[in-house]
Amino acid sequence: MATEDLIERILAAGDEPSASVIDALHELLDDTTIETSATPKSVAEAARLIGLSPHTLRYYEQEGLLRPARNASGYREYSAFDLRRLIFLTRMRLSGMTMQDLKRYIALVEHGPSTIPERRRIMLDQRDRIVRQIRELTLALETTEYKIRVYDGHPEG
């Protein structure tokens, strides 16, 4: 499936991601499914598709997290590979991964397969942080739900 279609599918998902959304995300993260014939996107088009500001895309480039090509006029052109990397970056940032960890991870990716053990360690550490965050948010939700139930028994003043 085309990168743009996959991105739109995962970003349009509701509160509970369905199996098809998870499949789309997995396909986006699989570099072997990248279509080489896709028309590159401008910074504005890529930002709109991903749901980020053009400033954020430029910032990620400045930080070395991606390197979009430039056309003959010098404008950035985001390939399907760039868009897929942006999805990865946004998911990791949303999960609380630091810019320092992201930069380290991307540097390792660019050094090739010999860095897979270290990349795996970074992802395992990130998974532990996400699981802890989910537990904390679950408790926060339970606290909120409890207070709502308590207030349902009292008239609003």
Side-chain angles (χ1 to χ4, degrees):
M1 180 176 278
T3 296
E4 191 171 337
D5 295 334
L6 291 168
I7 290 170
E8 288 175 357
R9 186 188 310 171
I10 67 164
L11 295 180
D15 291 341
E16 293 293 323
S18 66
S20 70
V21 171
I22 299 300
D23 289 344
L25 179 62
H26 289 177
E27 190 171 339
L28 274 172
L29 298 175
D30 181 356
D31 290 345
T32 65
T33 66
I34 295 176
E35 67 282 4
T36 56
S37 62
T39 304
K41 304 279 182 224
S42 70
V43 68
E45 292 168 329
R48 185 172 33 259
L49 178 63
I50 303 295
L52 298 172
S53 70
H55 174 78
T56 301
L57 269 58
R58 290 184 195 102
Y59 172 72
Y60 284 168
E61 181 182 357
Q62 176 186 347
E63 293 297 315
L65 296 173
L66 77 154
R67 292 177 183 83
R70 303 260 180 172
N71 65 19
S73 301
Y75 294 109
R76 290 169 181 84
E77 289 188 327
Y78 291 84
S79 68
F81 175 82
D82 296 323
L83 296 173
R84 288 167 182 242
R85 180 169 282 183
L86 281 166
I87 289 295
F88 171 76
L89 295 172
T90 58
R91 297 300 96 187
M92 291 300 98
R93 289 296 291 149
L94 180 67
S95 73
M97 183 178 269
T98 66
M99 286 298 289
Q100 180 180 344
D101 286 346
L102 265 177
K103 286 192 260 188
R104 177 72 182 139
Y105 182 86
I106 295 300
L108 290 168
V109 167
E110 292 175 353
H111 278 93
S114 66
T115 65
I116 286 175
E118 190 172 350
R119 285 187 265 162
R120 185 175 190 280
R121 170 57 32 215
I122 290 170
M123 288 292 107
L124 288 168
D125 291 345
Q126 184 61 17
R127 180 183 63 190
D128 291 346
R129 284 188 293 269
I130 292 168
V131 168
R132 186 174 49 253
Q133 185 179 11
I134 289 169
R135 281 194 314 260
E136 291 170 0
L137 286 172
T138 299
L139 289 173
L141 178 60
E142 285 302 318
T143 301
T144 303
E145 294 291 350
Y146 170 78
K147 284 301 197 177
I148 291 169
R149 283 191 308 275
V150 167
Y151 297 142
D152 282 344
H154 298 284
E156 293 186 32

